[in-house]
Amino acid sequence: MRHPARFGIAALTLALTAVGCSSSGSGSGSASHDRAGGAGKTTVTSCGRELSFEGPPERTVALDQSSTEVLLELGLEDRMAGTSNLKTKIAPEYRAAYDKVDVLSPKILTGEQLRAATPDFTIGGFTDYFTKDRVGTREELADLGLPSFVSAVDCPKQNAAGTGTSTGTSTGKKEGKGVKSPFELLFQDYTDLGRIFGVEKRAAKLVEDQRATLATAARTADKVKDEPTVVWLYSVYGDTPYVAGRSAIPSEMSRTVGAKNAFDDIDEDWPTVTWEQIAERDPDFLVIGDLSERGKPGDSAADKLEAIRANPVMSKLPAVEKKRFIEIPGTEMDPSVRTVDALPRLVAGMKDLGYVR
């Protein structure tokens, strides 16, 4: 945008108390229209909201690490007013660019912190960030002239495909009528952001490169023995494990390489389960996410492994006794520019464990 949206305490406070909106960050029904500036030269739809831009945003705030690294990959650090919510170490290839961006908070951003950054655009990987008790709902922000972008991966029902084939995995598997694969939705994010910021060629090159990595990983499926089952352990709060369900992107990652998510029958992103439920599934191996930078107990891979080995049921699982673990940065389990990078890591780990012929 040519003129960043600057909204003050009084304006946001009035909006937060007076605007009647649901607590959900995504729109429902027909797409709502968020206009930044006047003419609306570029228009995209993000999770049910139509966003119009007079020019490329100049003061973008990213609400999580995943969104931050997508912007950095597209070379947009000079268009960022701030970042937040660091979960794991920034990838080395983004470190220099990341150091040029203000860290508004290492944790989840508040409405006050977002307001203080005077953004003209905000982006997050999940609708959960756009609630009254966080930065405000998307409707509230739109009323203040602030467009918000949410990853299409978090809104699959609002991003239906025209066909029933999941073209993102190169496996040829059917996902059901009108459903895109999570990777296709991720690539849609890159394309939409490329249009918003006027970097379409960079975005197209990113899609091309990641499709090639995806296709290489998919060829592994024919070499995998007997579709091994895997549990993706994202975090542990108290003694409660959070694992990947059917709609989380690790389920698609598993299918791509010829494995099966042990909790693929639960139609949620990251359901809470018990250690006993994991033991009942008796997975062939576990993928452990490392979220060390987030800093909460149970976030690091070491914390998770300690909890697994300390549990009397889990400790007796063959996968645990035989140390069938693959560790990856937790942010690679989220929809991000690094998600595809996890596939070669996953394939290498499966080879080390003997699942790839």
Side-chain angles (χ1 to χ4, degrees):
M1 240 77 65
R2 292 169 186 165
H3 303 287
R6 296 185 178 273
F7 45 99
I9 293 175
L12 186 61
T13 301
L14 178 61
L16 293 179
T17 55
V19 178
C21 304
S22 69
S23 61
S24 170
S26 61
S28 59
S30 60
S32 301
H33 197 134
D34 299 359
R35 185 179 295 278
K41 295 179 181 177
T42 300
T43 301
V44 303
T45 299
S46 172
C47 286
R49 298 198 69 85
E50 191 174 273
L51 314 180
S52 293
F53 299 87
E54 190 176 332
E58 296 178 352
R59 294 187 59 79
T60 300
V61 169
L63 302 182
D64 56 11
Q65 181 174 352
S66 300
S67 302
T68 297
E69 291 184 332
V70 171
L71 296 176
L72 297 180
E73 175 65 32
L74 293 174
L76 299 171
E77 60 272 13
D78 61 336
R79 298 299 183 93
M80 296 180 67
T83 180
S84 58
N85 197 13
L86 188 65
K87 295 182 179 181
T88 188
K89 292 184 184 301
I90 292 291
E93 59 266 33
Y94 305 133
R95 188 76 236 185
Y98 179 80
D99 288 342
K100 298 176 183 177
V101 181
D102 289 340
V103 178
L104 305 179
S105 172
K107 309 299 182 185
I108 293 175
L109 211 61
T110 66
E112 290 76 13
Q113 290 168 324
L114 176 64
R115 178 173 66 246
T118 63
D120 58 5
F121 182 50
T122 186
I123 174 175
F126 302 98
T127 57
D128 289 351
Y129 298 132
F130 297 96
T131 59
K132 289 180 178 291
D133 60 341
R134 290 186 171 174
V135 299
T137 69
R138 298 183 74 199
E139 294 84 355
E140 290 166 342
L141 297 179
D143 283 345
L144 299 171
L146 181 60
S148 57
F149 185 96
V150 180
S151 173
V153 182
D154 202 40
C155 308
K157 294 180 181 178
Q158 292 167 311
N159 291 281
T163 66
T165 303
S166 169
T167 56
T169 62
S170 302
T171 62
K173 293 183 179 180
K174 298 288 183 180
E175 296 288 348
K177 186 177 180 180
V179 177
K180 287 183 180 180
S181 81
F183 285 113
E184 286 300 315
L185 296 176
L186 190 58
F187 298 157
Q188 179 179 316
D189 285 348
Y190 304 160
T191 301
D192 286 344
L193 289 169
R195 291 185 59 223
I196 290 170
F197 286 95
V199 291
E200 292 93 334
K201 288 184 179 179
R202 291 182 204 166
K205 181 65 164 58
L206 177 58
V207 172
E208 180 184 359
D209 290 347
Q210 293 209 344
R211 281 193 190 282
T213 302
L214 192 57
T216 299
R219 287 195 287 272
T220 302
D222 293 335
K223 305 174 185 177
V224 173
K225 306 172 185 175
D226 303 324
E227 195 180 45
T229 57
V230 53
V231 165
W232 295 76
L233 184 60
Y234 187 76
S235 58
V236 179
Y237 286 136
D239 201 36
T240 302
Y242 284 71
V243 300
R246 182 192 308 160
S247 54
I249 203 164
S251 265
E252 183 71 10
M253 295 163 72
S254 303
R255 287 190 288 271
T256 298
V257 300
K260 179 178 176 60
N261 178 11
F263 285 94
D264 203 34
D265 58 322
I266 299 180
D267 192 16
E268 298 178 33
D269 287 345
W270 298 101
T272 59
V273 297
T274 65
W275 293 119
E276 288 74 19
Q277 286 175 301
I278 295 177
E280 287 170 4
R281 306 287 171 121
D282 192 17
D284 292 302
F285 66 100
L286 294 92
V287 176
I288 310 296
D290 184 72
L291 298 165
S292 297
E293 299 301 310
R294 197 165 68 170
K296 296 178 181 178
D299 273 348
S300 72
D303 286 350
K304 295 180 182 73
L305 290 171
E306 183 179 353
I308 288 170
R309 289 167 175 147
N311 184 276
V313 176
M314 288 292 296
S315 62
K316 296 177 183 177
L317 282 182
V320 176
E321 290 181 334
K322 296 178 181 179
K323 300 180 180 179
R324 294 177 185 155
F325 303 117
I326 299 173
E327 293 183 25
I328 69 170
T331 194
E332 294 180 7
M333 295 185 185
D334 291 334
S336 78
V337 73
R338 292 172 59 181
T339 305
V340 169
D341 293 339
L343 290 170
R345 206 186 315 273
L346 177 61
V347 169
M350 290 173 62
K351 285 181 179 178
D352 289 344
L353 296 175
Y355 293 117
V356 181
R357 290 190 290 268

